[in-house]
Amino acid sequence: MIETDFLNRQNRLLDLVGGGVVIVPGASLVQKSHDTEFPFRQNSDFKYLTGFKEPDATLVLSKNEDGEIKRILFLQEKNPEMEMWTGIRLGSEKAPEVLPIDEAYPNHELGRRLGEILSGHQKCTFNLFNNDLRNLMAKTVKGINSRGKAKLHRPLNWQHLSPYIGKMRLQKESSEILAMKQAAKLTEVGHRAAMALANPGINEKQINELLTYLFSQENGEGAAYDSIVAGGENALILHYINNNCALNDGDLLLIDAGAQVNTYAGDVTRTFPVNGKFTSAQRDLYQIVLDAQKNAFGHMKKGVSLSDIHEHTCRSLCQSLIDAKILKGTLDENMESKSFRKYYPHGTGHWLGLDVHDQSPYLDEDLNDVLLDEGVTFTCEPGLYFPHGDRDVPKEWQGLGIRIEDDILMTNEGPENLTRAIPKEVKEVEEACQATLDTVLEKLSSKPLLA
Ligand SMILES: [Mn+2]
């Protein structure tokens, strides 16, 4: 059965770009070393429009002035010899039966057939930054353009795909929200298991592997991005992915990791004590970050922007830094000079979806902030990071990095925290750290999580 979601998305995209031809290539395999490739990851836009999971395919949509729509897919052709090595291919004969397209051809025919498809259209929308595609388009359109006095439109009006499809991907449909809720569920299991497993002497590597394993349960597709498993000062490296150090008694462990389901990402950070009990200094700092996040939640409503939320979060963290005598001067002075950025260098949130940093616009055509509306999904992730040797910072806070991140769905009733079940209050976190790994995994085996 062909899911109507995909057909509807294709129709809406054709309307949004104003008709003509839309070309969306899927991803190809990327070489890891000689004769081996990285695991395949489909291009998000292509996935969004087709649901098709094979590499080296291209979707070509067209809508003419009579409103007639054509959906053509170019894909890997059946090839028993190749399929013996790399797996079964759908092939062009079967594709129209099971995919949201009308016609399918072997991918090597794209160049040959493109001229015919483009002829008579004025507008073409594709990723202008894709050199291969732009070169193919230049060659093809040059051919059409040179057809002397032939009375037909030439596709000379090229526009970039990303702003259009990015706008569509901003507000999630119910099937997308379901996938994100399932990703949140697996992400919860992973984080709970990590809290249970972490102990002095355990290596970041073991926790990283456990997360990947749990994120692959049921229809999980593993980690949506390289997990950050950062013990002690490693938490000060914002994109730390080495994940290979032993955990030390008395240190905190920062984990930024999320499961992927149906290509939709979870993106959650928790910071907790390796030995299961915060020191009072750690707890005080943790509470400051947690309060900043709660403050941010209080400002989430339809009609505000992610930069509004960021502004409120910065003010909250900045005031705490002033209260702790780390920053001098008034709140307004420090907001003006952005002094706090030394300790809070990143944003408070980003769009979340098929990409963990979802490719939707933050500004509209008039350069105004895109506002929260029903169905948008985003993260909320305040943090504070204090390097050693910073004399403005109390000794017991030096070397600490704390971030707390949840995934939010905006609804008409207000923000819904999709990852609220993952322990976050000091007491909850300490309890989750005391749990045994067995009790966490038992829940997983007793009944399907994602039913
Ligand atoms: Mn994030």
Side-chain angles (χ1 to χ4, degrees):
M1 195 199 73
I2 294 165
E3 285 183 59
T4 51
D5 275 1
F6 296 116
L7 293 171
N8 290 338
R9 288 174 197 165
Q10 294 173 9
N11 294 348
R12 273 166 45 218
L13 179 60
L14 283 166
D15 282 344
L16 213 55
V17 300
V21 178
V22 177
I23 307 177
V24 188
S28 295
L29 282 161
V30 177
Q31 185 179 353
K32 181 176 177 182
S33 70
H34 183 59
D35 269 352
T36 64
E37 282 103 17
F38 287 105
F40 180 65
R41 169 55 157 84
Q42 188 55 283
N43 172 276
S44 297
D45 289 336
F46 182 87
K47 163 72 172 61
Y48 182 73
L49 294 169
T50 66
F52 188 46
K53 291 179 176 157
E54 286 185 24
D56 297 327
T58 300
L59 176 69
V60 182
L61 301 170
S62 68
K63 186 175 186 179
N64 66 19
E65 278 161 14
D66 298 332
E68 190 192 339
I69 291 176
K70 262 194 197 157
R71 313 163 196 274
I72 305 173
L73 186 71
F74 292 86
L75 73 170
Q76 299 182 110
E77 193 51 311
K78 296 290 287 180
N79 179 335
E81 204 183 318
M82 282 307 294
E83 289 178 54
M84 187 178 168
W85 289 95
T86 58
I88 303 296
R89 299 173 175 183
L90 179 60
S92 59
E93 201 183 311
K94 270 258 177 74
E97 287 171 35
V98 296
L99 295 176
I101 51 155
D102 309 316
E103 300 170 32
Y105 302 101
N107 51 13
H108 62 82
E109 292 185 17
L110 174 64
R112 181 158 68 76
R113 291 183 180 271
L114 196 55
E116 190 193 317
I117 298 168
L118 288 167
S119 285
H121 291 284
Q122 300 184 68
K123 195 183 276 181
C124 193
T125 309
F126 61 100
N127 178 3
L128 297 177
F129 304 148
N130 179 333
N131 290 336
D132 290 342
L133 186 54
R134 216 179 48 233
N135 289 339
L136 175 64
M137 280 294 293
K139 200 174 138 207
T140 312
V141 173
K142 207 172 161 190
I144 301 169
N145 203 32
S146 67
R147 277 158 68 181
K149 292 170 182 156
K151 212 169 178 183
L152 83 173
H153 287 301
R154 273 82 165 151
L156 294 170
N157 181 358
W158 293 3
Q159 54 182 8
H160 193 41
L161 172 70
S162 184
Y164 296 99
I165 200 159
K167 203 187 255 182
M168 287 176 62
R169 283 172 50 184
L170 192 55
Q171 276 171 290
K172 270 66 179 177
E173 299 159 17
S174 55
S175 60
E176 300 182 280
I177 292 168
L178 176 68
M180 294 185 74
K181 286 183 173 174
Q182 294 185 334
K185 193 74 210 170
L186 285 179
T187 302
E188 180 197 345
V189 175
H191 278 269
R192 281 187 184 275
M195 287 177 192
L197 177 63
N199 258 311
I202 293 278
N203 197 290
E204 292 166 351
K205 202 187 319 188
Q206 290 162 281
I207 299 205
N208 183 35
E209 295 299 331
L210 178 65
L211 289 167
T212 309
Y213 166 73
L214 291 172
F215 292 165
S216 310
Q217 297 301 300
E218 300 185 31
N219 57 350
E221 297 164 335
Y225 53 95
D226 285 333
S227 302
I228 296 168
V229 183
E233 283 181 56
N234 292 336
L236 303 176
I237 302 164
L238 297 175
H239 287 172
Y240 173 81
I241 52 168
N242 288 354
N243 302 343
N244 58 4
C245 293
L247 301 177
N248 298 316
D249 199 6
D251 276 354
L252 294 177
L253 173 58
L254 181 153
I255 296 182
D256 183 339
Q260 179 178 297
V261 172
N262 195 16
T263 329
Y264 287 84
D267 181 8
V268 169
T269 309
R270 290 293 184 266
T271 311
F272 58 90
V274 168
N275 65 17
K277 194 106 183 84
F278 285 101
T279 65
S280 65
Q282 289 168 348
R283 191 176 55 233
D284 291 346
L285 186 60
Y286 184 88
Q287 197 62 49
I288 286 171
V289 178
L290 184 55
D291 289 344
Q293 201 207 35
K294 288 178 180 173
N295 181 280
F297 285 160
H299 290 96
M300 287 171 194
K301 58 178 185 211
K302 281 166 66 172
V304 307
S305 67
L306 290 186
S307 37
D308 294 332
I309 295 169
H310 181 54
E311 173 80 10
H312 286 298
T313 308
C314 289
R315 289 185 80 84
S316 165
L317 290 172
C318 193
Q319 184 60 55
S320 297
L321 293 170
I322 295 166
D323 294 344
K325 304 196 166 45
I326 294 168
L327 298 178
K328 288 157 193 71
T330 66
L331 179 57
D332 286 338
E333 282 163 8
N334 280 285
M335 287 300 291
E336 176 70 29
S337 69
K338 299 197 184 306
S339 58
F340 60 89
R341 289 197 64 81
K342 192 171 164 190
Y343 308 111
Y344 182 43
H346 57 76
T348 301
H350 51 81
W351 305 128
L352 179 70
L354 286 166
D355 295 293
V356 62
H357 291 186
D358 217 21
Q359 294 183 64
S360 289
Y362 291 92
L363 298 172
D364 66 16
E365 295 81 357
D366 304 320
L367 302 184
N368 294 314
D369 286 327
V370 169
L371 304 179
L372 299 184
D373 202 351
E374 189 190 12
V376 305
T377 45
F378 57 99
T379 66
C380 181
E381 48 182 308
L384 283 175
Y385 312 87
F386 294 127
H388 269 298
D390 186 326
R391 291 202 188 154
D392 296 330
V393 175
K395 194 101 193 111
E396 62 273 22
W397 281 0
Q398 290 184 21
L400 297 186
I402 293 176
R403 178 164 67 255
I404 304 172
E405 175 177 29
D406 284 287
D407 301 344
I408 314 297
L409 163 70
M410 185 49 70
T411 75
N412 282 330
E413 285 73 47
E416 179 184 347
N417 182 353
L418 299 178
T419 48
R420 61 188 177 277
I422 305 174
K424 191 164 61 175
E425 294 292 335
V426 168
K427 199 162 158 278
E428 290 172 353
V429 169
E430 290 187 340
E431 275 168 18
C433 291
Q434 303 307 326
T436 65
L437 187 54
D438 280 349
T439 56
V440 179
L441 298 184
E442 249 165 47
K443 271 186 211 153
L444 200 64
S445 56
S446 58
K447 62 174 180 350
L449 275 174
L450 307 181

